[in-house]
Amino acid sequence: MSGGRLMPCSPQEISSLFLFEKLSPEQLGRLCAEGRVERFDVGPVYTEGDPATCFYVMVEGTVVLSRRVGGDDVEVSRTSQRGVYAGAMQAYLGDQVPQTYNNSMRVTEPTRFFVLPAESFAAVMRDWFPMAAHLLEGLFFGSRNTQRAIGQRERLLALGSLSAGLTHELNNPAAAAVRATATLRERVGKMRHKLAVIAQGPYSREALAELIEIQERTAERVAKAPVLSPMEASDREDELADWLDDHGIQEGWRIAPTFVQAGLDTDWLEQVAATVAEDILPGAIGWLNYTVETELLMDEINDSATRISHLVDAAKQYSQLDRAPHRVVDVHELLDSTLLMLSGKIGRGVRVVKDYDRSLPDVPAYPAELNQVWTNIIDNAVFAIGSTGGEGTLTVRTAREGDRLLVEFRDTGPGIPADIRSRIFDPFFTTKPVGEGTGLGLDISWRIVVNKHHGSLQVESAPGDTRFQVLLPLTDPDPDPDPSPESETAEEPA
C-alpha cells in the first residue's frame, strides 16, 4: 500500500460526507482524533489480498476499484462522488473472517481520503451502532451459510439426477446382456441336440470334417459382417429366403435375417452346398444357423459388457475417484464424461455436436470442479432448449485463444434477456420456476473458473444463440491450495 501525505482533519468537512452527516460533534471529534486525512497522488492506494488495515472515505478526487480475474485486473467501479468508501469494510466482524482487501483501489488524480484504521472502524461500529453491527453480522453469516447449504443441496440434487441417468444408461446394456445370455443358453442346448443328431446320422468322417471347417469359416465371417442399409438388408433377406426355399430348407424366411446379419449371402450358401452332400444340406444349414446365432449373441453380450465398462469409466472420470484434486488434465476427457453422465437428462430431443480441437495441450486444473462447471452450464442449456419445445442443438467447442484454452457451450434456446444478463452470475438469481433452481449454479461455476483456476467465464446471448465461454490458462500461475469453491465468498466491494 502506498502512503499518502497527511493533511488536517476538519470535523466540519467530514460531516459533509453522506456517511457521517448524522453524527454528533462528539462523534465527529472522535473520528478526527482516531483517523486522519491523507492526500494520494495518481497511482495505487491498496492492493487486493493485502491485509485490510484501513477504511477509506473519499473527500475529493476520483477512485477506480478493480478485481483480479485470472491474471488481469478488471475495473469494476470508477467514481468521483464524494463520500464513497472502500477498504476494511468487514473490520467489525473481527477474526471471524479473513481481514484482507477484496479489491484494489487506485486514484487517477490527486485525491483526498478520510482514513480510519480498521480497529477504530470496528470499535465505532460496535459502540455507536450495536444493533446495526449485529444485524450486519447476522446478514453476512446468514447469507454465507445459506449459500453453502443451498449449494450443497444443489450438488445433492445434481448427484441424484446423475445417478438416475446413470442407472437408466446402465440398465439398457445390462438387460440386453441378460436377455442375450438366456437366449444363448437355449441356442447352445439346441446345438448339443443337433450335434447328437448329426453324430448318430449316416455322415462320413470326411463330411463331418467338412461341416466343422464350414462352421469355422462361418464364425470368422460373422466377425467381419458389413453394415447394410435397411433396404440392402431387406433385399438380401429376400434373396436368401428364396435360395433356402429352392433347396428344400424349411422356414427359410426365419433363418434368412440371421444369415444376413452375419454377413452371409447366396454365394456363401452356394459354397456350402457345393461342399456337403445334398442329403445333409438341411442339417448343415441348421447347424450353421445355430453357429451364427451363438456368435451374434456373444457379440451382443460383449457389446453390452463394453458399454457398461465405458459407463463405469465415465463415472470414475466424472467423479475423479482416486485422483489428485489438482493435476494436468485433458479437458476433452472431462467434457465427454460429463456429457455421457448427463445423456439421460439431455434426452433425444437435444442434438449434441462436439467441435473439439484435439491439438490442444492438457491444462492444470481441478478436474472434479471443472466437471461441476460443465454440469451446471449444460443443465442450464438443456433447460433453455426445453423451454422452446424440447428440441434443439447443444454445441460444445474447444479452441485456443492466445495463452488460454476456450471451452464454449452454445445452445439454440430462447436466449437471456439483456436486462438480466449482468445478474446471472449473482448468488440466488435464477430464471427457473420456484423449486427448479437455486440460483447458485452459475455463481459456483464463476467462482470455480475465476477464483480457483484464474480463468474467466462470460456469456453472449441472442435468441437462438446463447454461448457460455470458459477461458482457462494453459499454464498454472498460482494454484489455490484449497480446492473447495465454498472457501471463496461472492462478496463484491461496496
Side-chain angles (χ1 to χ4, degrees):
M1 180 181 69
S2 61
R5 181 158 56 89
L6 293 179
M7 304 185 70
C9 178
S10 166
Q12 182 177 2
E13 183 179 42
I14 65 171
S15 69
S16 65
L17 306 175
F18 65 84
L19 199 62
F20 306 134
E21 60 186 2
K22 300 296 183 180
L23 299 183
S24 66
E26 292 77 12
Q27 291 172 323
L28 293 170
R30 177 179 174 180
L31 289 180
C32 275
E34 298 187 17
R36 59 190 183 273
V37 172
E38 290 189 50
R39 183 180 184 275
F40 288 82
D41 293 328
V42 175
V45 177
Y46 63 75
T47 303
E48 180 179 353
D50 288 348
T53 58
C54 296
F55 177 69
Y56 295 85
V57 184
M58 190 180 75
V59 179
E60 62 177 354
T62 301
V63 299
V64 176
L65 298 182
S66 61
R67 292 290 305 269
R68 178 61 59 89
V69 179
D72 303 321
D73 285 323
V74 178
E75 182 177 320
V76 295
S77 177
R78 179 185 294 258
T79 182
S80 298
Q81 180 183 356
R82 297 181 73 248
V84 295
Y85 52 91
M89 294 182 295
Q90 296 175 356
Y92 64 92
L93 296 173
D95 296 335
Q96 299 178 85
V97 297
Q99 292 296 333
T100 57
Y101 293 117
N102 61 2
N103 56 17
S104 296
M105 184 167 70
R106 61 186 175 88
V107 296
T108 58
E109 61 176 315
T111 301
R112 286 192 302 133
F113 290 96
F114 171 71
V115 183
L116 190 63
E119 298 81 1
S120 298
F121 176 63
V124 298
M125 285 290 292
R126 288 191 297 266
D127 294 345
W128 297 347
F129 314 108
M131 182 176 178
H134 285 304
L135 289 173
L136 289 171
E137 182 177 348
L139 178 63
F140 177 86
F141 288 109
S143 175
R144 192 169 71 172
N145 292 338
T146 299
Q147 183 173 338
R148 180 179 292 114
I150 293 180
Q152 292 172 345
R153 176 64 174 170
E154 183 172 80
R155 281 190 285 275
L156 286 174
L157 290 174
L159 179 61
S161 177
L162 289 172
S163 298
L166 180 60
T167 301
H168 174 76
E169 293 295 319
L170 286 170
N171 181 66
N172 291 333
V178 171
R179 289 194 303 269
T181 302
T183 306
L184 179 62
R185 187 186 301 277
E186 177 187 347
R187 294 295 184 272
V188 170
K190 290 184 177 180
M191 283 186 69
R192 290 197 299 266
H193 175 71
K194 178 65 72 173
L195 180 60
V197 172
I198 292 175
Q200 296 172 3
Y203 303 115
S204 65
R205 183 184 299 273
E206 291 76 12
L208 290 176
E210 291 173 349
L211 188 58
I212 292 173
E213 182 184 358
I214 292 172
Q215 180 189 35
E216 292 297 328
R217 285 189 285 140
T218 302
E220 292 176 1
R221 196 175 180 98
V222 173
K224 303 175 182 178
V227 178
L228 303 177
S229 68
M231 185 66 70
E232 291 173 332
S234 178
D235 291 342
R236 185 170 292 186
E237 287 175 12
D238 292 339
E239 292 176 8
L240 287 177
D242 292 341
W243 189 96
L244 294 169
D245 290 341
D246 293 343
H247 288 75
I249 310 299
Q250 296 182 356
E251 296 187 333
W253 59 272
R254 189 187 301 275
I255 298 175
T258 302
F259 279 6
V260 170
Q261 187 178 356
L264 305 185
D265 52 21
T266 54
D267 291 340
W268 177 259
L269 294 181
E270 289 290 353
Q271 295 180 36
V272 174
T275 303
V276 301
E278 184 177 351
D279 59 330
I280 67 172
L281 180 60
I285 294 297
W287 174 257
L288 293 179
N289 181 50
Y290 290 140
T291 299
V292 168
E293 287 185 333
T294 55
E295 289 293 324
L296 293 175
L297 288 169
M298 285 189 289
D299 285 344
E300 184 176 350
I301 293 172
N302 181 69
D303 291 343
S304 298
T306 301
R307 173 67 174 167
I308 292 172
S309 178
H310 286 167
L311 287 167
V312 172
D313 287 343
K316 289 180 64 177
Q317 176 69 253
Y318 181 83
S319 61
Q320 294 297 306
L321 292 174
D322 304 326
R323 303 195 180 192
H326 187 272
R327 61 187 182 88
V328 176
V329 297
D330 181 352
V331 295
H332 302 110
E333 292 181 358
L334 304 183
L335 291 167
D336 286 341
S337 67
T338 303
L339 287 168
L340 182 56
M341 291 292 290
L342 291 173
S343 58
K345 190 168 190 177
I346 291 174
R348 298 182 180 275
V350 179
R351 175 171 169 261
V352 177
V353 176
K354 298 178 182 179
D355 182 10
Y356 292 167
D357 179 357
R358 293 288 187 178
S359 67
L360 291 171
D362 295 349
V363 296
Y366 296 100
E369 293 193 22
L370 283 185
N371 282 338
Q372 186 178 358
V373 174
W374 314 150
T375 299
N376 291 335
I377 296 177
I378 293 172
D379 181 70
N380 286 342
V382 172
F383 179 85
I385 293 173
S387 67
T388 60
E391 293 188 356
T393 302
L394 169 64
T395 302
V396 183
R397 182 172 72 93
T398 62
R400 182 168 187 158
E401 290 200 358
D403 60 348
R404 296 192 293 180
L405 183 149
L406 168 69
V407 181
E408 180 182 76
F409 301 85
R410 177 184 179 186
D411 69 73
T412 57
I416 304 171
D419 58 334
I420 65 170
R421 204 170 299 159
S422 62
R423 301 172 57 197
I424 61 173
F425 297 112
D426 293 348
F428 307 110
F429 179 80
T430 180
T431 58
K432 296 180 180 179
V434 175
E436 293 192 27
T438 61
L440 285 179
L442 290 179
D443 168 54
I444 291 173
S445 299
W446 190 91
R447 287 186 282 129
I448 289 174
V449 172
V450 176
N451 295 341
K452 308 301 294 184
H453 291 85
H454 308 284
S456 66
L457 174 58
Q458 56 200 34
V459 62
E460 298 176 0
S461 185
D465 186 8
T466 296
R467 307 184 187 198
F468 280 88
Q469 298 173 330
V470 177
L471 286 163
L472 300 171
L474 295 173
T475 57
D476 196 354
D478 182 21
D480 191 326
D482 178 9
S484 171
E486 291 178 359
S487 65
E488 302 285 346
T489 64
E491 300 287 327
E492 288 294 335

